[in-house]
Coordinates of all heavy atoms in Angstrom, one line a residue:
M30 N 200.4 281.1 26.3 CA 199.8 282.3 25.9 C 198.5 282.6 26.7 O 197.7 281.7 26.8 CB 199.4 282.2 24.4 CG 198.5 283.2 23.9 SD 197.8 283.0 22.2 CE 199.3 282.9 21.3
L31 N 198.4 283.7 27.3 CA 197.3 284.1 28.0 C 196.3 284.7 27.1 O 196.6 285.6 26.3 CB 197.6 285.0 29.2 CG 198.4 284.5 30.3 CD1 198.8 285.6 31.3 CD2 197.7 283.3 31.0
L32 N 195.0 284.3 27.2 CA 194.0 284.9 26.3 C 193.2 285.9 27.1 O 192.9 285.7 28.3 CB 193.0 283.8 25.9 CG 193.6 282.7 24.9 CD1 192.6 281.6 24.7 CD2 194.0 283.3 23.6
S33 N 192.7 286.9 26.4 CA 191.8 287.9 27.0 C 190.5 287.1 27.2 O 190.2 286.1 26.5 CB 191.6 289.1 26.2 OG 190.9 288.8 25.0
Q34 N 189.7 287.6 28.1 CA 188.4 286.9 28.3 C 187.5 286.9 27.0 O 187.0 285.8 26.7 CB 187.6 287.7 29.4 CG 186.2 287.1 29.7 CD 185.5 287.8 30.8 OE1 186.0 288.7 31.4 NE2 184.2 287.5 30.9
R35 N 187.5 287.9 26.2 CA 186.7 287.9 25.0 C 187.3 287.0 24.0 O 186.5 286.3 23.3 CB 186.6 289.3 24.4 CG 185.8 290.3 25.2 CD 184.4 290.0 25.1 NE 183.7 291.0 25.9 CZ 182.7 290.8 26.7 NH1 182.3 289.5 26.9 NH2 182.1 291.7 27.4
K36 N 188.6 286.9 23.8 CA 189.2 286.0 22.9 C 188.9 284.6 23.3 O 188.6 283.7 22.4 CB 190.7 286.2 22.8 CG 191.1 287.5 22.0 CD 192.6 287.6 21.9 CE 193.0 288.8 21.2 NZ 194.5 288.9 21.2
Q37 N 188.9 284.3 24.6 CA 188.6 283.0 25.1 C 187.1 282.7 24.8 O 186.8 281.6 24.4 CB 188.9 282.9 26.6 CG 188.7 281.5 27.1 CD 189.2 281.3 28.5 OE1 189.9 282.1 29.0 NE2 188.7 280.3 29.2
E38 N 186.2 283.6 25.0 CA 184.8 283.4 24.6 C 184.6 283.1 23.2 O 183.8 282.2 22.8 CB 184.0 284.7 25.0 CG 183.8 284.9 26.5 CD 183.0 286.2 26.7 OE1 181.9 286.3 26.2 OE2 183.5 287.0 27.4
I39 N 185.3 283.8 22.3 CA 185.2 283.5 20.9 C 185.7 282.1 20.6 O 185.0 281.4 19.8 CB 186.0 284.6 20.1 CG1 185.4 285.9 20.1 CG2 186.2 284.1 18.6 CD1 186.2 287.1 19.6
M40 N 186.8 281.7 21.1 CA 187.3 280.4 20.9 C 186.4 279.3 21.5 O 186.2 278.3 20.9 CB 188.7 280.3 21.5 CG 189.7 281.1 20.6 SD 191.4 281.1 21.3 CE 191.8 279.4 21.2
E41 N 185.8 279.6 22.6 CA 184.8 278.6 23.2 C 183.6 278.5 22.3 O 183.1 277.4 22.1 CB 184.4 279.0 24.6 CG 185.6 278.8 25.6 CD 185.3 279.4 27.0 OE1 184.3 280.2 27.1 OE2 186.1 279.1 27.9
L42 N 183.1 279.6 21.7 CA 182.0 279.5 20.8 C 182.4 278.7 19.6 O 181.6 277.9 19.1 CB 181.6 281.0 20.4 CG 180.8 281.7 21.5 CD1 180.7 283.2 21.1 CD2 179.4 281.1 21.6
L43 N 183.6 278.9 19.1 CA 184.0 278.2 17.9 C 184.1 276.7 18.2 O 183.7 275.8 17.4 CB 185.4 278.7 17.4 CG 185.3 280.0 16.6 CD1 186.7 280.5 16.4 CD2 184.7 279.7 15.3
K44 N 184.6 276.4 19.4 CA 184.7 274.9 19.8 C 183.3 274.3 19.9 O 183.0 273.2 19.4 CB 185.4 274.8 21.1 CG 185.6 273.4 21.5 CD 186.5 273.3 22.8 CE 186.7 271.8 23.1 NZ 187.6 271.6 24.2
E45 N 182.3 275.1 20.5 CA 181.0 274.6 20.7 C 180.2 274.5 19.3 O 179.6 273.5 19.1 CB 180.2 275.6 21.6 CG 178.8 275.3 21.8 CD 178.1 276.4 22.6 OE1 178.7 277.0 23.4 OE2 176.9 276.6 22.2
K46 N 180.3 275.5 18.5 CA 179.5 275.5 17.3 C 180.3 275.0 16.0 O 179.7 274.9 15.0 CB 179.1 277.0 17.0 CG 178.2 277.5 18.1 CD 177.7 278.9 17.8 CE 176.8 279.4 18.9 NZ 175.6 278.7 19.0
R47 N 181.5 274.7 16.2 CA 182.4 274.2 15.1 C 182.8 275.3 14.1 O 183.9 275.3 13.6 CB 181.7 273.1 14.3 CG 181.3 271.9 15.1 CD 182.5 271.3 15.8 NE 182.6 269.9 15.3 CZ 183.6 269.2 15.7 NH1 184.5 269.7 16.5 NH2 183.8 267.9 15.3
S48 N 181.9 276.2 13.7 CA 182.2 277.4 12.9 C 181.3 278.5 13.2 O 180.1 278.2 13.7 CB 182.2 277.0 11.4 OG 180.9 276.7 11.0
I49 N 181.7 279.7 12.9 CA 180.8 280.8 13.2 C 181.2 282.0 12.4 O 182.4 282.2 12.0 CB 180.9 281.2 14.8 CG1 179.7 282.0 15.2 CG2 182.2 281.8 15.1 CD1 179.5 282.1 16.7
S50 N 180.3 282.8 12.0 CA 180.5 284.0 11.2 C 180.8 285.2 12.1 O 180.4 285.2 13.3 CB 179.3 284.3 10.3 OG 178.2 284.7 11.1
V51 N 181.4 286.2 11.6 CA 181.6 287.5 12.3 C 180.3 288.1 12.8 O 180.1 288.5 13.9 CB 182.4 288.5 11.5 CG1 182.5 289.9 12.2 CG2 183.8 288.0 11.2
Q52 N 179.3 288.0 11.9 CA 178.0 288.6 12.2 C 177.4 287.8 13.4 O 176.8 288.5 14.3 CB 177.0 288.5 11.0 CG 175.7 289.1 11.2 CD 175.8 290.6 11.6 OE1 176.6 291.3 11.0 NE2 175.1 291.1 12.5
A53 N 177.5 286.5 13.5 CA 177.0 285.8 14.6 C 177.7 286.2 15.9 O 177.1 286.3 17.0 CB 177.1 284.3 14.4
L54 N 179.0 286.4 15.8 CA 179.8 286.8 17.0 C 179.3 288.2 17.5 O 179.2 288.5 18.7 CB 181.3 286.9 16.7 CG 182.0 285.5 16.6 CD1 183.4 285.6 16.0 CD2 182.0 284.8 17.9
I55 N 179.1 289.1 16.5 CA 178.6 290.4 16.8 C 177.3 290.4 17.6 O 177.0 291.1 18.5 CB 178.5 291.3 15.5 CG1 179.9 291.6 15.0 CG2 177.7 292.6 15.8 CD1 179.9 292.2 13.6
E56 N 176.4 289.4 17.2 CA 175.1 289.3 17.8 C 175.2 288.6 19.2 O 174.4 288.9 20.1 CB 174.2 288.5 16.9 CG 173.8 289.2 15.6 CD 173.1 288.3 14.6 OE1 172.8 287.2 14.9 OE2 172.9 288.8 13.5
L57 N 176.2 287.8 19.4 CA 176.3 287.0 20.6 C 177.1 287.7 21.7 O 176.9 287.5 22.9 CB 177.0 285.7 20.3 CG 176.1 284.7 19.6 CD1 177.0 283.5 19.1 CD2 175.0 284.2 20.4
L58 N 178.1 288.6 21.3 CA 179.0 289.2 22.3 C 178.7 290.7 22.5 O 178.5 291.4 21.5 CB 180.4 289.0 21.9 CG 180.9 287.5 21.8 CD1 182.3 287.4 21.3 CD2 180.8 286.9 23.2
P59 N 178.7 291.2 23.7 CA 178.3 292.6 23.9 C 179.5 293.5 23.7 O 179.9 294.3 24.6 CB 177.9 292.6 25.4 CG 178.8 291.5 26.0 CD 178.9 290.5 24.9
V60 N 180.1 293.5 22.5 CA 181.2 294.4 22.2 C 180.9 294.9 20.7 O 180.1 294.3 20.0 CB 182.6 293.7 22.3 CG1 183.0 293.4 23.7 CG2 182.7 292.5 21.4
S61 N 181.6 295.9 20.3 CA 181.4 296.5 19.0 C 181.9 295.6 17.9 O 182.8 294.8 18.1 CB 182.1 297.9 18.9 OG 183.5 297.7 18.8
P62 N 181.3 295.8 16.7 CA 181.8 295.0 15.6 C 183.3 295.2 15.3 O 184.0 294.3 15.0 CB 180.9 295.6 14.4 CG 179.7 296.0 15.1 CD 180.1 296.6 16.4
A63 N 183.8 296.4 15.5 CA 185.2 296.7 15.2 C 186.1 295.9 16.2 O 187.1 295.3 15.8 CB 185.5 298.2 15.4
T64 N 185.6 295.8 17.4 CA 186.4 295.0 18.5 C 186.4 293.5 18.1 O 187.4 292.9 18.2 CB 185.8 295.3 19.9 OG1 185.8 296.6 20.2 CG2 186.5 294.5 20.9
I65 N 185.2 293.0 17.7 CA 185.1 291.6 17.3 C 186.1 291.4 16.1 O 186.9 290.4 16.2 CB 183.7 291.2 16.8 CG1 182.7 291.3 18.0 CG2 183.7 289.9 16.1 CD1 182.8 290.2 19.0
R66 N 186.1 292.3 15.2 CA 187.0 292.1 14.0 C 188.5 292.1 14.5 O 189.3 291.4 14.0 CB 186.7 293.1 13.0 CG 185.4 292.8 12.2 CD 185.1 293.8 11.1 NE 183.9 293.4 10.4 CZ 182.7 293.9 10.8 NH1 182.6 294.7 11.8 NH2 181.6 293.5 10.2
R67 N 188.8 293.0 15.4 CA 190.2 293.1 15.9 C 190.6 291.7 16.6 O 191.7 291.2 16.4 CB 190.4 294.2 16.9 CG 190.7 295.5 16.2 CD 191.2 296.6 17.2 NE 190.4 296.8 18.4 CZ 189.3 297.6 18.4 NH1 189.0 298.3 17.4 NH2 188.6 297.7 19.5
Y68 N 189.7 291.2 17.4 CA 190.0 289.9 18.1 C 190.2 288.8 17.0 O 191.1 288.0 17.1 CB 188.8 289.6 19.0 CG 188.7 290.4 20.2 CD1 187.5 290.6 20.8 CD2 189.9 290.9 20.9 CE1 187.4 291.4 22.0 CE2 189.8 291.7 22.0 CZ 188.5 291.9 22.6 OH 188.4 292.6 23.7
I69 N 189.3 288.8 16.0 CA 189.4 287.8 15.0 C 190.7 287.9 14.2 O 191.4 286.9 14.0 CB 188.2 287.9 14.0 CG1 186.9 287.5 14.6 CG2 188.4 287.1 12.7 CD1 186.7 286.1 14.9
V70 N 191.1 289.1 13.9 CA 192.4 289.3 13.2 C 193.6 288.8 14.1 O 194.5 288.1 13.6 CB 192.6 290.7 12.8 CG1 194.0 291.0 12.4 CG2 191.6 291.1 11.7
S71 N 193.5 289.1 15.3 CA 194.6 288.7 16.3 C 194.6 287.2 16.4 O 195.7 286.6 16.4 CB 194.3 289.4 17.6 OG 195.2 288.9 18.6
L72 N 193.5 286.6 16.6 CA 193.4 285.1 16.8 C 193.9 284.4 15.5 O 194.6 283.4 15.6 CB 192.0 284.7 17.2 CG 191.5 285.0 18.6 CD1 190.0 284.8 18.7 CD2 192.3 284.2 19.6
E73 N 193.5 285.0 14.4 CA 193.9 284.4 13.1 C 195.4 284.5 12.9 O 196.1 283.6 12.5 CB 193.1 285.0 12.0 CG 193.2 284.2 10.7 CD 192.2 284.8 9.6 OE1 191.8 285.9 9.7 OE2 192.0 284.1 8.6
K74 N 195.9 285.7 13.2 CA 197.4 285.9 13.1 C 198.2 285.0 14.0 O 199.3 284.5 13.6 CB 197.7 287.4 13.5 CG 199.1 287.8 13.1 CD 199.2 289.3 13.2 CE 199.9 289.7 14.5 NZ 200.1 291.1 14.7
D75 N 197.6 284.6 15.2 CA 198.3 283.7 16.1 C 198.1 282.3 15.7 O 198.6 281.4 16.4 CB 197.8 283.9 17.5 CG 198.2 285.3 18.1 OD1 199.2 285.9 17.6 OD2 197.5 285.7 19.1
G76 N 197.4 282.0 14.7 CA 197.2 280.6 14.2 C 196.2 279.8 15.0 O 196.2 278.6 15.0
L77 N 195.4 280.5 15.8 CA 194.4 279.8 16.7 C 193.1 279.6 16.0 O 192.4 278.6 16.3 CB 194.2 280.6 17.9 CG 195.5 281.0 18.7 CD1 195.2 281.9 19.9 CD2 196.2 279.7 19.2
I78 N 192.7 280.4 15.0 CA 191.5 280.2 14.2 C 191.9 280.4 12.8 O 192.9 280.9 12.4 CB 190.4 281.2 14.7 CG1 190.7 282.6 14.3 CG2 190.0 281.0 16.1 CD1 189.6 283.6 14.5
R79 N 191.0 280.0 11.9 CA 191.2 280.2 10.5 C 189.9 280.5 9.8 O 188.8 280.0 10.1 CB 191.8 278.9 9.8 CG 192.1 279.0 8.4 CD 192.8 277.8 7.9 NE 192.0 276.6 8.1 CZ 191.4 275.9 7.1 NH1 191.4 276.3 5.9 NH2 190.7 274.8 7.4
R80 N 190.0 281.4 8.8 CA 188.8 281.7 8.0 C 188.6 280.7 6.9 O 189.5 280.2 6.3 CB 188.9 283.1 7.4 CG 187.7 283.5 6.6 CD 187.8 284.9 6.1 NE 188.9 285.0 5.1 CZ 189.3 286.1 4.6 NH1 188.8 287.3 4.9 NH2 190.2 286.1 3.7
T81 N 187.3 280.3 6.7 CA 187.0 279.4 5.6 C 185.7 279.9 4.9 O 185.1 280.8 5.5 CB 186.8 278.0 6.3 OG1 186.6 277.0 5.2 CG2 185.6 277.9 7.2
R82 N 185.5 279.4 3.8 CA 184.3 279.8 3.0 C 183.4 278.5 2.8 O 183.9 277.4 2.6 CB 184.7 280.4 1.7 CG 185.4 281.7 1.8 CD 185.7 282.2 0.5 NE 186.6 283.4 0.6 CZ 186.2 284.6 0.6 NH1 184.9 284.9 0.5 NH2 187.0 285.6 0.6
T83 N 182.1 278.8 2.8 CA 181.1 277.7 2.5 C 180.9 277.7 1.0 O 181.4 278.6 0.2 CB 179.8 278.0 3.2 OG1 179.3 279.2 2.8 CG2 180.0 278.0 4.7
G84 N 180.1 276.8 0.5 CA 179.8 276.6 -0.9 C 179.2 277.9 -1.5 O 179.4 278.2 -2.6
D85 N 178.4 278.6 -0.7 CA 177.8 279.8 -1.1 C 178.6 281.0 -0.9 O 178.1 282.2 -0.9 CB 176.4 280.0 -0.5 CG 176.4 280.0 1.0 OD1 177.5 279.9 1.6 OD2 175.3 280.2 1.6
N86 N 179.9 280.8 -0.7 CA 180.9 281.9 -0.5 C 180.8 282.7 0.7 O 181.3 283.8 0.8 CB 180.9 282.8 -1.8 CG 182.3 283.3 -2.1 OD1 183.3 282.7 -1.7 ND2 182.4 284.4 -2.7
R87 N 180.1 282.2 1.8 CA 180.0 283.0 3.0 C 181.3 282.6 3.8 O 181.8 281.5 3.8 CB 178.8 282.6 3.8 CG 177.6 283.2 3.2 CD 176.4 283.1 4.2 NE 175.6 282.0 3.6 CZ 174.6 281.4 4.3 NH1 174.4 281.7 5.6 NH2 173.9 280.5 3.8
K88 N 181.8 283.6 4.6 CA 183.0 283.5 5.4 C 182.6 283.0 6.8 O 181.7 283.6 7.4 CB 183.8 284.8 5.5 CG 184.3 285.3 4.2 CD 185.0 286.6 4.4 CE 185.1 287.3 3.1 NZ 185.6 288.7 3.2
Y89 N 183.3 282.0 7.3 CA 183.2 281.5 8.6 C 184.5 281.3 9.2 O 185.5 281.2 8.5 CB 182.4 280.2 8.7 CG 180.9 280.3 8.4 CD1 180.4 280.3 7.1 CD2 180.0 280.4 9.4 CE1 179.1 280.5 6.8 CE2 178.7 280.6 9.2 CZ 178.2 280.6 7.9 OH 176.9 280.8 7.7
Y90 N 184.6 281.2 10.5 CA 185.9 280.9 11.2 C 185.8 279.6 11.9 O 184.7 279.2 12.4 CB 186.2 282.0 12.2 CG 186.6 283.3 11.4 CD1 185.6 284.2 11.0 CD2 187.9 283.5 11.1 CE1 186.0 285.3 10.3 CE2 188.3 284.7 10.4 CZ 187.3 285.5 10.0 OH 187.6 286.6 9.3
I91 N 186.9 278.9 11.9 CA 187.0 277.6 12.6 C 188.1 277.6 13.6 O 189.1 278.4 13.4 CB 187.1 276.4 11.6 CG1 188.3 276.6 10.8 CG2 185.8 276.3 10.8 CD1 188.7 275.3 9.9
L92 N 188.0 276.8 14.6 CA 189.1 276.7 15.6 C 190.2 275.7 15.1 O 189.9 274.6 14.6 CB 188.5 276.1 16.9 CG 189.4 276.1 18.1 CD1 189.8 277.6 18.5 CD2 188.6 275.5 19.3
M93 N 191.4 276.1 15.1 CA 192.5 275.3 14.6 C 193.0 274.4 15.8 O 192.8 274.7 16.9 CB 193.7 276.2 14.1 CG 193.3 277.1 12.9 SD 192.8 276.1 11.5 CE 194.3 275.3 11.0
P94 N 193.8 273.3 15.5 CA 194.3 272.5 16.5 C 195.1 273.3 17.6 O 195.0 273.0 18.8 CB 195.2 271.5 15.8 CG 194.5 271.4 14.4 CD 194.1 272.8 14.1
E95 N 195.9 274.2 17.1 CA 196.7 275.1 18.1 C 195.7 275.8 19.0 O 196.0 276.0 20.2 CB 197.6 276.0 17.3 CG 198.4 276.9 18.2 CD 199.4 276.1 19.1 OE1 199.8 275.0 18.7 OE2 199.7 276.5 20.2
G96 N 194.6 276.3 18.4 CA 193.6 277.0 19.2 C 193.0 276.1 20.3 O 192.7 276.5 21.4
E97 N 192.7 274.8 19.9 CA 192.2 273.9 20.9 C 193.2 273.6 22.0 O 192.8 273.5 23.2 CB 191.8 272.6 20.2 CG 190.6 272.7 19.3 CD 190.0 271.4 18.9 OE1 190.1 270.4 19.6 OE2 189.4 271.4 17.8
R98 N 194.5 273.5 21.6 CA 195.5 273.3 22.7 C 195.6 274.5 23.6 O 195.7 274.3 24.8 CB 196.8 273.0 22.0 CG 197.0 271.6 21.5 CD 198.4 271.3 21.1 NE 198.8 272.0 19.9 CZ 198.6 271.7 18.7 NH1 197.9 270.6 18.4 NH2 199.0 272.4 17.7
T99 N 195.5 275.7 23.0 CA 195.6 276.9 23.8 C 194.4 277.0 24.8 O 194.6 277.3 25.9 CB 195.7 278.1 22.9 OG1 196.8 278.0 22.1 CG2 195.7 279.4 23.7
L100 N 193.2 276.7 24.3 CA 192.1 276.7 25.1 C 192.2 275.7 26.2 O 191.9 276.0 27.4 CB 190.8 276.4 24.2 CG 189.5 276.9 24.6 CD1 189.5 278.4 25.0 CD2 188.5 276.6 23.5
Q101 N 192.7 274.5 25.9 CA 192.9 273.5 27.0 C 193.9 273.9 28.0 O 193.7 273.8 29.2 CB 193.3 272.1 26.3 CG 193.5 271.0 27.4 CD 192.1 270.7 28.0 OE1 191.1 270.7 27.4 NE2 192.2 270.4 29.3
N102 N 195.0 274.6 27.6 CA 196.0 275.1 28.5 C 195.4 276.2 29.4 O 195.7 276.3 30.6 CB 197.2 275.7 27.7 CG 198.0 274.6 27.1 OD1 197.9 273.5 27.4 ND2 198.8 275.1 26.1
E103 N 194.5 277.0 28.8 CA 193.8 278.0 29.6 C 192.9 277.4 30.7 O 192.9 277.8 31.9 CB 192.9 278.9 28.8 CG 193.6 280.0 28.0 CD 194.2 281.1 29.0 OE1 193.4 281.7 29.7 OE2 195.4 281.2 29.0
Y104 N 192.2 276.3 30.3 CA 191.4 275.6 31.3 C 192.2 275.0 32.4 O 191.9 275.1 33.6 CB 190.6 274.4 30.6 CG 189.6 274.8 29.6 CD1 189.3 273.9 28.6 CD2 188.8 276.0 29.7 CE1 188.3 274.3 27.6 CE2 187.9 276.3 28.8 CZ 187.6 275.4 27.8 OH 186.7 275.8 26.8
E105 N 193.4 274.4 32.1 CA 194.3 273.9 33.1 C 194.8 275.0 34.0 O 195.0 274.8 35.2 CB 195.4 273.1 32.4 CG 195.0 271.9 31.6 CD 194.3 270.9 32.5 OE1 194.7 270.6 33.7 OE2 193.3 270.2 32.0
R106 N 195.2 276.1 33.4 CA 195.7 277.2 34.2 C 194.7 277.7 35.2 O 195.0 277.9 36.4 CB 196.2 278.4 33.3 CG 196.8 279.5 34.0 CD 197.2 280.7 33.0 NE 196.0 281.3 32.5 CZ 195.2 282.1 33.1 NH1 195.5 282.5 34.3 NH2 194.1 282.6 32.5
I107 N 193.5 277.9 34.8 CA 192.4 278.4 35.6 C 192.1 277.3 36.7 O 191.9 277.7 37.9 CB 191.1 278.7 34.8 CG1 191.4 279.9 33.9 CG2 189.9 278.9 35.7 CD1 190.4 280.1 32.8
K108 N 192.1 276.0 36.3 CA 191.9 275.0 37.3 C 192.9 275.0 38.4 O 192.7 274.9 39.6 CB 191.8 273.6 36.6 CG 191.3 272.5 37.4 CD 191.0 271.3 36.4 CE 192.0 270.3 36.6 NZ 191.7 269.1 35.8
K109 N 194.2 275.2 38.0 CA 195.3 275.2 39.0 C 195.2 276.4 39.9 O 195.4 276.3 41.1 CB 196.6 275.3 38.2 CG 197.8 275.2 39.2 CD 199.1 275.4 38.4 CE 200.3 275.4 39.3 NZ 200.3 276.3 40.4
Q110 N 194.8 277.6 39.3 CA 194.6 278.8 40.1 C 193.5 278.6 41.2 O 193.6 279.0 42.3 CB 194.2 280.0 39.2 CG 195.4 280.7 38.6 CD 194.9 281.9 37.8 OE1 193.8 281.9 37.3 NE2 195.8 282.9 37.8
A111 N 192.4 277.9 40.7 CA 191.3 277.7 41.7 C 191.8 276.8 42.8 O 191.4 277.0 43.9 CB 190.1 277.1 40.9
A112 N 192.5 275.7 42.4 CA 193.0 274.8 43.5 C 194.0 275.5 44.4 O 193.9 275.3 45.6 CB 193.7 273.6 42.8
D113 N 194.8 276.4 43.9 CA 195.8 277.1 44.8 C 195.0 278.0 45.7 O 195.3 278.1 46.9 CB 196.7 278.0 43.9 CG 197.7 277.1 43.2 OD1 197.9 275.9 43.5 OD2 198.4 277.7 42.2
M114 N 193.9 278.7 45.2 CA 193.1 279.6 46.0 C 192.4 278.8 47.1 O 192.3 279.3 48.2 CB 192.1 280.4 45.1 CG 192.8 281.4 44.3 SD 191.6 282.2 43.1 CE 190.6 283.0 44.2
E115 N 191.9 277.6 46.7 CA 191.2 276.8 47.7 C 192.2 276.4 48.8 O 191.8 276.4 50.0 CB 190.7 275.6 47.0 CG 189.8 274.7 47.9 CD 189.1 273.6 47.2 OE1 188.9 273.7 46.0 OE2 188.8 272.6 47.9
R116 N 193.4 276.0 48.5 CA 194.4 275.7 49.5 C 194.7 276.8 50.5 O 194.8 276.7 51.7 CB 195.7 275.2 48.9 CG 195.7 273.7 48.4 CD 197.0 273.2 48.1 NE 197.6 273.8 46.9 CZ 197.3 273.4 45.6 NH1 196.5 272.4 45.4 NH2 197.8 274.0 44.6
V117 N 194.8 278.0 49.9 CA 195.1 279.2 50.7 C 193.9 279.5 51.7 O 194.1 279.7 52.8 CB 195.3 280.5 49.8 CG1 195.3 281.7 50.6 CG2 196.6 280.3 49.1
L118 N 192.7 279.4 51.2 CA 191.5 279.6 52.0 C 191.4 278.5 53.1 O 191.1 278.8 54.2 CB 190.2 279.5 51.1 CG 190.0 280.7 50.2 CD1 188.9 280.5 49.3 CD2 189.9 282.0 51.0
Q119 N 191.8 277.3 52.8 CA 191.7 276.2 53.8 C 192.8 276.5 54.9 O 192.5 276.3 56.1 CB 192.0 274.9 53.2 CG 190.8 274.3 52.4 CD 191.2 273.0 51.7 OE1 192.3 272.6 51.6 NE2 190.1 272.3 51.3
K120 N 193.9 277.0 54.5 CA 195.0 277.3 55.5 C 194.5 278.5 56.4 O 194.8 278.5 57.6 CB 196.3 277.7 54.8 CG 197.0 276.5 54.3 CD 198.3 276.9 53.6 CE 199.0 275.6 53.0 NZ 200.3 276.0 52.4
E121 N 193.9 279.4 55.8 CA 193.4 280.6 56.6 C 192.3 280.1 57.6 O 192.3 280.6 58.7 CB 192.8 281.7 55.6 CG 193.9 282.4 54.9 CD 193.3 283.5 54.0 OE1 192.1 283.6 53.9 OE2 194.1 284.2 53.3
E122 N 191.5 279.2 57.1 CA 190.4 278.7 58.0 C 191.0 277.9 59.2 O 190.5 277.9 60.3 CB 189.4 277.9 57.3 CG 188.5 278.6 56.4 CD 187.6 277.7 55.5 OE1 187.7 276.5 55.6 OE2 186.8 278.3 54.8
E123 N 192.1 277.2 58.9 CA 192.7 276.4 60.0 C 193.5 277.3 61.0 O 193.7 276.8 62.1 CB 193.7 275.4 59.3 CG 193.0 274.3 58.5 CD 194.0 273.5 57.7 OE1 195.2 273.7 57.8 OE2 193.6 272.6 57.0
S124 N 193.9 278.5 60.6 CA 194.6 279.3 61.5 C 193.7 280.0 62.5 O 192.6 280.2 62.5 CB 195.3 280.4 60.7 OG 196.2 279.9 59.8

């Protein structure tokens, strides 16, 4: 599954912070609240994140194991692309 840049950013924030509220995402990312909510719904529907509640009934989102695997796959895909690009550039320099 390919992630959009913003969805990947949301998942990276979740991985870093362990849990995060929609309000915190709105404050951290330069997109509209409606867009954040659409991304959250999409990620939750795909089973990559899950909504949870704290003792004081506040809603937070956490990264699910499938989300961690997807994020790792994205890192590997990007790493491979970078290596491929480096090989192409080296071949061009040699020519």
Side-chain angles (χ1 to χ4, degrees):
M30 166 188 302
L31 292 176
L32 294 173
S33 72
Q34 181 181 348
R35 291 286 184 229
K36 286 182 182 179
Q37 186 171 341
E38 286 179 58
I39 289 169
M40 291 176 62
E41 287 170 352
L42 283 167
L43 282 168
K44 185 174 182 175
E45 175 188 326
K46 296 184 180 295
R47 305 295 243 176
S48 68
I49 199 163
S50 68
V51 171
Q52 186 59 43
L54 288 170
I55 290 168
E56 292 169 6
L57 291 168
L58 299 173
V60 294
S61 73
T64 299
I65 294 287
R66 287 185 180 89
R67 275 195 306 275
Y68 289 149
I69 290 292
V70 166
S71 174
L72 289 166
E73 195 171 18
K74 191 168 104 177
D75 291 341
L77 303 175
I78 66 171
R79 182 173 58 106
R80 183 175 65 187
T81 187
R82 293 179 188 266
T83 60
D85 58 357
N86 212 27
R87 285 192 257 166
K88 297 176 195 170
Y89 286 86
Y90 289 86
I91 60 172
L92 190 61
M93 299 299 293
E95 181 62 29
E97 290 194 31
R98 283 189 292 277
T99 300
L100 207 49
Q101 185 62 39
N102 290 343
E103 280 292 300
Y104 294 150
E105 294 301 321
R106 184 184 65 79
I107 291 167
K108 194 165 104 175
K109 183 183 179 310
Q110 278 183 329
D113 290 346
M114 289 173 66
E115 189 174 334
R116 279 191 292 277
V117 168
L118 290 173
Q119 284 177 346
K120 285 181 182 178
E121 286 179 2
E122 287 177 357
E123 291 172 359
S124 300

